[in-house]
Amino acid sequence: MIKTIGFFDFQLIKHHADYINFSITFAFDKHYCDVTGMGWMAKNKANYYLSSITINKKQASFKEAAEVGVTVVKNSAVFEFVQLDHLTKTYIKTNLVKKPRS
């Protein structure tokens, strides 16, 4: 079965000097999801990790999060589903180009 993204809403929580905290609300296949994370730039590439994952209003373990395209790489949770990963990195890069508000 093909999994699809119903919507994707990236929200900036806090812009620090060299990284951001963010939240994302998205629909993946039949699931409604909320994640929070931290993003930064290194060697002109956006990087991030997800620190909290909620699926259908219930806190999810990293094992449960695999159902919505999240995997653990080098002890950090990231999106395995290519479209979610690309959208997240694009928003991180866009937000880090902006100067933080004082």
Side-chain angles (χ1 to χ4, degrees), residues 30-67:
K30 62 184 179 198
H31 302 290
Y32 179 84
C33 309
D34 291 299
V35 299
T36 58
M38 185 177 103
W40 66 95
M41 297 293 292
K43 297 182 181 177
N44 206 31
K45 291 176 76 176
N47 298 282
Y48 68 95
Y49 69 83
L50 305 174
S51 55
S52 174
I53 303 158
T54 304
I55 302 172
N56 302 324
K57 298 184 180 184
K58 293 174 81 178
Q59 189 68 31
S61 68
F62 291 132
K63 185 176 180 179
E64 294 166 323
E67 193 169 337

Side-chain angles (χ1 to χ4, degrees), residues 1-98:
M1 174 168 44
I2 297 174
K3 299 195 179 213
T4 59
I5 303 169
F7 66 89
F8 184 92
D9 182 34
F10 184 99
Q11 295 291 317
L12 178 65
I13 296 173
K14 178 88 172 146
H15 192 300
H16 304 274
D18 57 353
Y19 68 96
I20 60 172
N21 294 102
F22 62 86
S23 68
I24 301 170
T25 302
F26 65 100
F28 187 78
D29 199 23
K30 62 184 179 198
H31 302 290
Y32 179 84
C33 309
D34 291 299
V35 299
T36 58
M38 185 177 103
W40 66 95
M41 297 293 292
K43 297 182 181 177
N44 206 31
K45 291 176 76 176
N47 298 282
Y48 68 95
Y49 69 83
L50 305 174
S51 55
S52 174
I53 303 158
T54 304
I55 302 172
N56 302 324
K57 298 184 180 184
K58 293 174 81 178
Q59 189 68 31
S61 68
F62 291 132
K63 185 176 180 179
E64 294 166 323
E67 193 169 337
V68 295
V70 174
T71 190
V72 177
V73 177
K74 297 180 184 176
N75 295 323
S76 293
V78 295
F79 288 116
E80 180 177 43
F81 194 65
V82 175
Q83 288 85 347
L84 289 170
D85 182 65
H86 179 73
L87 284 166
T88 301
K89 288 178 177 176
T90 299
Y91 277 97
I92 289 168
K93 192 170 191 173
T94 300
N95 277 279
L96 283 171
V97 169
K98 299 175 189 174

